Amino acid sequence: MRKRTVPRLGSVLRTSRLSQVTYNSCGDFAAGYILGRCLHCDEEHFGDWYTEMRDAHRLLKMHGESPWLTIPWK
């Protein structure tokens, strides 16, 4: 059994670079993730999970101290 559960740093950095090239902001990345997850895992019934994620997404896009607004994307 492999004890290591933390992804290798190289994989995280590569994923980060690809995300920054593909999306214009953290909010755009999150919206894509939320919609993709709903379509893939929620049997096309968005339900409570979607509305909770939508509300969190809206809050993070508008709150002045949100990391989405205070940490540079690129």
Side-chain angles (χ1 to χ4, degrees), residues 7-23:
R8 293 184 183 268
L9 181 58
S11 297
V12 171
L13 293 174
R14 190 170 36 259
T15 301
S16 175
R17 283 191 291 271
L18 289 171
S19 298
Q20 290 171 340
V21 169
T22 305
Y23 297 95

Side-chain angles (χ1 to χ4, degrees), residues 6-73:
V6 177
R8 293 184 183 268
L9 181 58
S11 297
V12 171
L13 293 174
R14 190 170 36 259
T15 301
S16 175
R17 283 191 291 271
L18 289 171
S19 298
Q20 290 171 340
V21 169
T22 305
Y23 297 95
N24 292 321
S25 69
C26 190
D28 289 348
F29 175 80
Y33 170 79
I34 292 167
L35 291 173
R37 198 243 178 229
C38 284
L39 293 173
H40 179 72
C41 301
D42 210 9
E43 298 177 2
E44 297 184 15
H45 300 286
F46 298 139
D48 293 337
W49 188 88
Y50 171 76
T51 56
E52 290 172 13
M53 292 302 103
R54 180 202 62 208
D55 294 345
H57 187 269
R58 286 180 180 164
L59 178 64
L60 285 164
K61 284 187 78 164
M62 296 186 317
H63 193 283
E65 295 178 15
S66 166
W68 291 7
L69 302 176
T70 58
I71 299 174
W73 176 251

